[in-house]
Structures are given as C-alpha cells and as structure tokens.
Amino acid sequence: MISLSLSHLADVLGGRLVVRGDDTPDTLVSGLVDTDSRLIGPGGIFVAKPGETTDGHLFVGTAVERGAALAIVERELDDAVSQIVVPDAVAALSDLARDVVARVRDAGPLQIVGITGSNGKTTTKNLLARILEDEGETVAPRASFNNEVGAPLTMLRVTENTRYLVSEFGASAPGAIAHLAGLVTPDVGVVLMVGMAHAGGFGGIESTFHAKSELVKATREGGLAVLNADDPRVAAMEPIARERGQEVRWFGRGERAEVRALDVEVSASGTRADLLVDGEPFTLTLRVLGEHHVMNALAALAAATALGVAAADAIARLETVEIAERWRMQPLGSDRVRIINDAYNASPDSMAAALRTLAQITGPEERTVAVLGAMSELGEYADEEHDRVGLLAVRLRIQRIVVIGPEARRMYLEAIAQGSWDGEAVFFADADAAYDYLSTELRDGDRVLVKSSNSAGLRHLGDRLGDLFA
C-alpha cells in the first residue's frame, strides 16, 4: 500500500484511532493489507474481519507477531499494536481501497480494467495481466479475489509506480458489481458472457444480465466497454455504454468483432486460431486447453490493444501462458494417462465447454473419462441443468461417466436414462470411493476430465489422480 499516516487512515475509515507504543497520529504505514494473519509481514495492516466460522479479532496477536503495524478492528483490543476501531471492518476495507486507488490515479498514469462475466473472469484476468506486465507495473488479483474482500485487497496492492490495475468482479448478489467497480471507476470494462452461473441467486438469467451490466454502468464516462459480440445479452449492453459516452470494442467469432477468431483448431497440446485484429491477420497458438479459452484470449487482446499494446506483442505474450490458473483446465498426469483438473468452478456453460474439449482432444485410440461433481448456486434450475450435463456427456460419446456426490446424482441418472447403463456411467457418494475405482479403472490412453464446482471438492481428487499417473 502507499504510505499514509494513521490519522489520515482513521479519517478515511471514519474510525477511532488508538495509538500504541511509540506511534503518533503522524506515524506512516505502508505495508501490505490482508485479512489473513498468516500473510501479514513487517509493517503490514491486518483487517480483523469477523467470519462465518471464526473471528479475525482472535488473530490480531498472530498478526502482531508477524510484524503488523496497524490493526483495523471492530472493537478495541489489548494487543500492543495501534488500532483503528470501525463499525464494519469489511466496509472499511472498501473505503480504504477507494481512497488509495484515487490517490494513485491522481498522481500517476494508472489505468484500470474491470472484468466480469458468468465464466472466464479469472482466465481473462490472468491473460490480460500477462500482456500488461511487460508494459509496466501491473496489479491483478491472486486466484479468484473478486468479492467484497478479495477485490479491495487487490486494489490496495497498487503503488505510486503501478501502471495497470486489473480487477475481477464477481456477483454474489445484485448490486455487488456496482459496489466493487464503483470503488475504482474502471477506464475499461470487459464483459465476457451472461450465463447460468449463480442464476439461482439472482432469480434467472435476465437478472444476471442486469447484474453483469453494472460494470458497464460503473465504467467511467468516455471510457471503453469491451463486449462479447457473440453473446446477445452482452451485446445488448451497447446502449448502456453509448449513453455513457463510452467507445465499444467488440470481440468474438462473428463479423462484427474487431478482435475476431476465424478458424480454430483444438488439440491436446493447446488451441490454434487465426485472428483478425482491427483487420490485420495474426495466428495465435494458445497452450491453455479448450476452445472456449480462445474467447477469453480475444477479450484480453481487445482490452490490451485498446490500451496501446501492439497486437503482435500481446499475442506473443499470450502464447507464453501454460495454464490459466491452478485447477482450471490444468493438465496433470502424463502422456500415458492425462488428467485435466478443472474443478475450481463449474456452471452449465463451463461444464459443457470442458466436456466438448475432452471430446475434441481425445484421439480415436484413446478413451474419454468424465469425472463430474455438482454445479452450485443454480437454485431452482439445478435439477434441469444437471440433467442437461448428463445428456450432453452421452451425446458427446464420453466413454466413462463417473458422477460423485448426491447433489450431482441427476447427471448419473440422466446418463443412464440416455443409454449409458452398461457400466459406462457409475455413481459414487464421495471422492474417496471414486478414487479407489479410478485408480484401478484408468488405463493407458485415457483422457480424464475432473470437473465440478469448488464446493464439491473434486479439485483435490484431480490432484491425487495427477500424482498417481505422473
């Protein structure tokens, strides 16, 4: 974080300053901010956030031992560290992020990109950050830091020398993106797609559309909206952008897109695509598995070139990326038995894309194996969407369908109903039982997809299988 005095921080947070030790109100702090005491270092600022299972106030002592210079708390503590007492620690985190980013922006060349969408946010964020980091100091989220805690923590990593801030915005509820993007007012807003992810929490896909469009509304007037030309709901955000005087830059597969993919070829080693970038031809060879990641690459390329990066340079940097993120289409195992661990997130759209990728990268002498768990946050749509996945797996001729967990059982039942009843589809109550089966069932030439929402916990099963067949 940039250097600020304790008194200034107290004013920004609307809190009561409690000075301890040799500190005074004029003492400057500039360490990294975090809500995890284990990640605090010398000079750091620890935010004592109450949690669902524990209370951050219990770990202030640990933060002090690790060198914390300040604690942001909701009640005064006896610990030997200066404190700012606030009504709401999470709200204080947002207030602090807003102030810090505004100060950096006023003093330097900082440009801010916000990214949202039902799928692909983390991959696109990582691809864009890879492009921009060669242009200047770039701050981007760790993993999927895209909520009311993670997004401000990322913003607080900016310094006076930061040239680009790439923020990823998730939507836990209507208004969440508006709040998070409103902390920084992005110069560029990127909307990837509007799909069924989290639809249960929003009341349907139209409500999801309104939630995702909050980013366009929060992008600064006269800024840039980077929109998916192939998604009708994203394309419908164009009038919102125009009303705010924003330029619209399109990406996609259709003729409308200024950053466009033409022929796309998928293999086990990656994806090749012929591109047109503002009418100029290029070839992209992406190591990240899956045809669907071409769209994420197009979005990153559209944003980067709008920020002044040469298309050839941006494409060369994209080609150095080996995986999007851990547990996202991550190749494990060996050439003998290839495991694709994609079990950090799952929605109907990403599940379908992963299954299609599995079918595309498997040769005629190899066998497709799909290890599937539940998709979360679908609400009333859960049964129907799990049925669709089971149906799709059969239609793609996936040769072994391994379904895990009671929440995912409908995938198995649908696969059985569609004809995969002679051992092609099996069901297990938990990951351990599935591991025991797979450790003896898998054979040379198998290509195995492990796919589920994070809550299903199958990412660890994918890791175990990867180690077993390494």
Side-chain angles (χ1 to χ4, degrees), residues 361-374:
I361 68 172
T362 303
E365 304 302 320
E366 299 169 342
R367 186 173 66 157
T368 50
V369 181
V371 182
L372 307 176

Side-chain angles (χ1 to χ4, degrees), residues 18 58 82-83 92 106 116 125 173 182 203 216 221 229 236 243 257 267 295-296 305 339 350 366 368 410 425 438 451:
V18 178
L58 300 175
S82 292
Q83 301 161 41
D106 288 345
T116 196
K125 170 263 298 184
V216 180
E221 293 186 7
E243 287 174 7
S267 71
M295 289 295 286
N296 299 328
T305 50
I339 310 296
S350 69
E366 299 169 342
T368 50
R410 300 227 10 165
L438 290 165
K451 179 70 174 171

Side-chain angles (χ1 to χ4, degrees), residues 50 101 130 133 203 206 238 291 299 339 341 347 377 409 465:
V101 172
R130 174 62 194 93
E133 66 186 13
E206 289 306 317
E238 180 184 15
E291 183 177 358
I339 310 296
N341 194 352
S347 69
E377 300 183 54
R409 187 178 177 84
L465 293 172

Side-chain angles (χ1 to χ4, degrees), residues 136-184:
E137 182 178 300
T138 299
V139 171
R142 303 192 304 265
S144 293
F145 271 36
N146 61 23
N147 63 10
E148 62 180 354
V149 174
L153 287 177
T154 298
M155 297 167 188
L156 287 166
R157 288 167 44 212
V158 300
T159 71
E160 293 87 347
N161 298 318
T162 302
R163 185 170 176 187
Y164 302 104
L165 168 62
V166 180
S167 288
E168 176 185 341
F169 300 128
S172 57
I177 293 174
H179 166 68
L180 295 174
L183 300 178
V184 294

Side-chain angles (χ1 to χ4, degrees), residues 234-289:
V234 176
M237 298 178 191
E238 180 184 15
I240 300 172
R242 301 295 186 191
E243 287 174 7
R244 294 185 55 76
Q246 297 166 3
E247 178 186 352
V248 175
R249 187 160 172 78
W250 300 100
F251 68 93
R253 302 284 294 271
E255 294 184 359
R256 187 182 195 182
E258 290 130 321
V259 180
R260 179 181 171 195
L262 304 174
D263 295 331
V264 177
E265 299 176 2
V266 180
S267 71
S269 60
T271 307
R272 181 190 177 280
D274 292 328
L275 307 183
L276 282 178
V277 182
D278 298 314
E280 186 175 358
F282 295 92
T283 298
L284 169 67
T285 303
L286 196 63
R287 294 194 224 180
V288 180
L289 290 177

